[in-house]
């Protein structure tokens, strides 16, 4: 079911939404005129925005495949899932290990309405969707779907992709991520992408102002601030880098300049 087939009272179509803007810019179909207007305005300010967003999604796919193939991770907890776009995390993980299990978390009514695309698991595996706000980690960890889908005694990959730039200083983004990671066993992983303005400050600053004008203020972070999310963890090589530089697999056809990317990415292991 596309956004256009949903009951009108399920979602607010009059104002732009970050997940729908993202969906529009990467070529999806679950968006409305307000989202398209916002996306067009943002791309006008920074023409590289579509390249940046696609590179972020490619990073997610490489990170999940790495975790499933090379680290043997069979459980994933995805925070701030967004609108389903194939391949989703469970499709990538289950293509490697059909018994992989995934819990998706978001609090957007459109994502909830489209969540059937997130729970179409293989027979051997399992996927679940939790409607919860990442600002309340306990609501995620205490949800029945979390306990019924994931084994707390086995490692879990916590994926937090392209979401913490919408958490302001008063939200304590580092603390939120840590409260989600702390209950997970040793051997678990954190995979994140973190918005930054360090490579194209003027252009990204203009995009951030477009978001803020639509009620979506952003907190872009420096490299040092990105490092804080990984304190006490063991970073996987190459460490914290722009997302297009994290273990590129040579499959991309776009020429990507550093100035086109406003996201740090990293994967790290919990060792204690």
């Amino acid at each position: 079911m596309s956004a256009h087939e949903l009951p009108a009272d399920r979602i607010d179509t009059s104002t732009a939404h970050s997940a729908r803007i993202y969906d529009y810019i990467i070529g999806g179909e679950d968006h409305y005129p307000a989202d398209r207007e916002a996306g067009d305005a943002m791309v006008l300010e920074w023409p590289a925005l579509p390249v940046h967003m696609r590179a972020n999604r490619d990073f997610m796919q490489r990170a999940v495949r790495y975790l499933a193939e090379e680290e043997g991770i069979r459980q994933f907890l995805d925070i701030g899932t967004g609108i389903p776009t194939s391949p989703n995390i469970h499709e990538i993980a289950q293509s490697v290990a059909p018994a992989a299990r995934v819990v998706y978390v978001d609090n957007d009514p459109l994502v909830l309405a489209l969540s059937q695309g997130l729970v179409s698991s293989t027979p051997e595996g399992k996927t679940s969707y939790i409607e919860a706000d990442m600002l309340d980690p306990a609501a995620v960890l205490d949800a029945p779907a979390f306990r019924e889908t994931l084994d707390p005694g086995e490692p879990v990959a916590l994926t937090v992709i392209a979401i913490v730039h919408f958490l302001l200083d008063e939200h304590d983004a580092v603390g939120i991520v840590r409260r989600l990671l702390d209950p997970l066993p040793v051997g678990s992983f954190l995979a994140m992408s973190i918005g930054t303005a360090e490579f194209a400050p003027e252009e990204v600053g203009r995009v951030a102002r477009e978001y803020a004008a639509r009620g979506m203020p952003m907190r872009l972070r420096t490299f040092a601030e990105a490092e804080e999310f990984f304190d006490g963890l063991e970073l996987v090589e190459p460490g914290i880098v722009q997302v297009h530089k994290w273990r590129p697999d040579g499959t991309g056809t776009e020429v990507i300049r550093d100035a086109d990317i406003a996201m740090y990415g990293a994967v790290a292991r919990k060792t204690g």
Side-chain angles (χ1 to χ4, degrees):
M1 180 183 295
S2 76
H4 310 291
E5 297 171 301
L6 298 174
D9 61 352
R10 295 292 298 275
I11 51 179
D12 177 8
T13 64
S14 64
T15 58
H17 186 280
S18 59
R20 300 196 309 256
I21 295 169
Y22 183 90
D23 179 77
Y24 169 60
I25 291 176
I26 66 171
E29 61 181 25
D30 297 303
H31 43 74
Y32 293 92
D35 310 303
R36 295 191 286 274
E37 181 277 328
D40 289 343
M42 292 167 186
V43 172
L44 185 64
E45 295 291 356
W46 188 33
L49 186 58
V51 175
H52 156 81
M53 288 185 170
R54 287 192 294 267
N56 175 74
R57 184 156 188 86
D58 290 346
F59 161 76
M60 179 276 288
Q61 294 178 22
R62 294 195 306 277
V64 170
R65 184 167 295 278
Y66 165 81
L67 289 164
E69 283 186 345
E70 299 192 36
E71 298 292 350
I73 296 297
R74 299 294 179 261
Q75 303 192 113
F76 294 81
L77 173 60
D78 183 55
I79 303 297
T81 296
I83 293 170
T85 304
S86 187
N88 295 294
I89 286 176
H90 72 282
E91 294 170 311
I92 300 166
Q94 291 178 347
S95 72
V96 176
R101 293 175 165 240
V102 180
V103 171
Y104 293 104
V105 180
D106 209 305
N107 68 337
D108 183 283
L110 178 57
V111 179
L112 173 64
L114 297 172
S115 62
Q116 187 57 42
L118 299 172
V119 296
S120 54
S121 174
T122 59
E124 303 93 329
K126 185 174 182 179
T127 65
S128 300
Y129 179 82
I130 298 173
E131 186 177 17
D133 192 327
M134 71 178 296
L135 296 177
D136 184 5
V140 176
L141 300 171
D142 293 341
F146 176 84
R147 299 192 300 271
E148 293 164 3
T149 305
L150 304 184
D151 180 349
E154 294 296 325
V156 176
L158 173 64
T159 56
V160 186
I161 305 297
I163 189 68
V164 294
H165 52 274
F166 291 114
L167 300 186
L168 307 182
D169 288 343
E170 58 264 32
H171 296 135
D172 183 20
V174 172
I176 287 171
V177 172
R178 192 50 50 128
R179 290 195 292 278
L180 289 163
L181 185 64
D182 280 349
L184 305 181
V186 170
S188 293
F189 284 82
L190 172 64
M192 288 189 72
S193 60
I194 301 161
T196 184
E198 291 194 311
F199 299 93
E202 292 185 9
E203 296 88 339
V204 176
R206 292 197 297 267
V207 172
R209 286 193 290 275
E210 291 288 345
Y211 273 102
R214 293 165 176 81
M216 296 172 281
M218 302 175 76
R219 173 64 163 86
L220 299 164
R221 291 174 169 83
T222 65
F223 181 84
E225 289 170 327
E227 284 184 306
E228 295 176 16
F229 289 98
F230 301 97
D231 283 350
L233 305 177
E234 180 183 279
L235 284 163
V236 171
E237 290 294 331
I240 303 170
V241 294
Q242 285 176 284
V243 287
H244 66 300
K245 295 181 176 181
W246 195 89
R247 294 178 174 252
D249 57 13
T251 60
T253 59
E254 289 185 296
V255 176
I256 301 177
R257 305 175 306 142
D258 289 357
D260 294 340
I261 303 299
M263 201 80 75
Y264 285 117
V267 174
R269 179 185 291 104
K270 182 177 179 179
T271 58

